[in-house]
């Protein structure tokens, strides 16, 4: 039973990424999973129900670095970013594998907008992830200042927001160049250049 449920969720995730939540119908999901209507409805009663579980399973976990082993103990800004880059790569590769598609796809961005529109209480839940990211960045930046790694007059909040903005831009680069490796290399170079400017 759990394997069938997982199969439905992975199939739905792939279709939502390729065609958008709005465009995919229950009939599309039934055909793609190879299940009869009765068997399908045994697990899910509506497309909206599937969408919420897909987002809970595949979207929200990818938005937080809380589970990155040892990340909260890192005091060096450069090492911190290297860890984040590593988990960006792993997260993107995981999406490719789970959805069985080659990223990027323009509907990836559509799906992100649909999450905001159709997921109940999205902003309340997303706020926790956003705050967690900011706190992590600010913490390591303050430590980097104290340890003499970067200039002491750097405003931690502003620098944290700058790094987060750079990371958010990665999907734009992926969409333009159709390459995860290229986008991650650009992100690394952006960080290195900014790091060079603030490094003592």
């Amino acid at each position: 039973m759990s394997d069938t449920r997982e199969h439905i969720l992975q199939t739905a995730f792939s279709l939502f990424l390729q065609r958008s939540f709005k465009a995919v119908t229950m009939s599309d999901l039934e055909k793609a999973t190879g299940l009869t209507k009765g068997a399908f409805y045994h697990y899910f009663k509506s497309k909206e129900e599937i969408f919420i579980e897909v987002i809970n399973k595949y979207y929200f976990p990818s938005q937080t670095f809380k589970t990155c082993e040892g990340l909260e103990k890192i005091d060096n800004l450069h090492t911190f970013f290297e860890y984040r880059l590593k988990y960006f790569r792993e997260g993107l590769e995981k999406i490719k594998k789970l959805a069985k598609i080659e990223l990027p796809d323009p509907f990836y961005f559509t799906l992100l907008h649909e999450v905001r529109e159709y997921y109940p209480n999205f902003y309340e839940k997303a706020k926790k992830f956003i705050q967690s990211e900011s706190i992590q960045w600010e913490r390591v930046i303050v430590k980097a200042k104290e340890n003499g790694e970067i200039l002491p007059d750097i405003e931690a909040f502003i620098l944290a927001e700058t790094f987060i903005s750079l990371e958010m831009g990665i999907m734009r680069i992926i969409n333009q160049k159709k390459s995860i490796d290229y986008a991650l290399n650009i992100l690394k170079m952006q960080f290195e250049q900014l790091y060079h400017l603030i490094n003592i």
Side-chain angles (χ1 to χ4, degrees):
M1 183 178 289
S2 60
D3 289 344
T4 302
R5 189 179 187 86
E6 183 69 23
H7 172 58
I8 292 172
L9 292 174
Q10 286 191 16
T11 302
F13 184 45
S14 180
L15 287 180
F16 292 157
L17 282 174
Q18 293 178 65
R19 296 172 55 188
S20 84
F21 169 71
K22 278 185 177 180
V24 174
T25 66
M26 285 294 280
S27 178
D28 294 331
L29 291 168
E30 290 163 20
K31 290 177 183 176
T33 57
L35 297 173
T36 64
K37 187 173 183 179
F40 194 93
Y41 277 79
H42 174 72
Y43 294 95
F44 296 100
K45 300 297 188 287
S46 69
K47 186 175 72 166
E48 288 73 20
E49 184 182 346
I50 298 171
F51 180 72
I52 289 171
E53 190 154 342
V54 163
I55 298 307
N56 284 336
K57 188 173 182 65
Y58 302 123
Y59 177 77
F60 279 119
S62 71
Q63 301 305 304
T64 179
F65 287 83
K66 277 187 174 181
T67 57
C68 296
E69 185 178 353
L71 193 64
E72 71 283 352
K73 298 178 181 178
I74 297 174
D75 294 337
N76 182 277
L77 179 58
H78 198 278
T79 303
F80 181 82
F81 180 77
E82 288 177 341
Y83 266 70
R84 289 193 57 103
L85 200 62
K86 172 187 174 184
Y87 286 102
F88 259 112
R89 182 181 300 278
E90 290 178 356
L92 290 169
E93 291 296 335
K94 184 178 180 180
I95 290 174
K96 284 176 61 175
K97 183 177 179 180
L98 286 172
K100 298 177 182 178
I101 61 173
E102 283 298 316
L103 288 182
D105 187 290
F107 284 113
Y108 179 83
F109 301 97
T110 302
L111 184 62
L112 296 184
H113 289 295
E114 288 178 327
V115 171
R116 292 171 173 81
E117 184 175 355
Y118 296 108
Y119 186 94
N121 301 315
F122 166 77
Y123 286 102
E124 288 79 2
K125 192 164 185 176
K127 186 177 180 180
K128 296 178 182 178
F129 294 111
I130 294 169
Q131 289 175 337
S132 174
E133 280 205 327
S134 297
I135 289 170
Q136 288 187 17
W137 271 111
E138 286 189 56
R139 179 195 63 78
V140 77
I141 290 168
V142 169
K143 286 291 185 180
K145 289 169 62 175
E146 293 173 352
N147 297 337
E149 182 186 357
I150 61 175
L151 296 170
D153 59 346
I154 294 292
E155 174 56 53
F157 171 76
I158 298 300
L159 185 58
E161 291 299 308
T162 301
F163 283 129
I164 291 171
S165 294
L166 288 178
E167 290 177 340
M168 290 177 64
I170 193 172
M171 291 311 301
R172 179 186 63 83
I173 301 172
I174 290 176
N175 194 46
Q176 288 178 337
K177 298 297 182 178
K178 308 298 180 185
S179 169
I180 290 175
D181 287 334
Y182 177 85
L184 290 173
N185 285 334
I186 290 293
L187 180 59
K188 183 176 181 179
M189 287 189 287
Q190 288 175 322
F191 172 80
E192 295 287 359
Q193 184 160 312
L194 179 55
Y195 182 78
H196 175 73
L197 295 174
I198 62 175
N199 184 249
I200 295 178

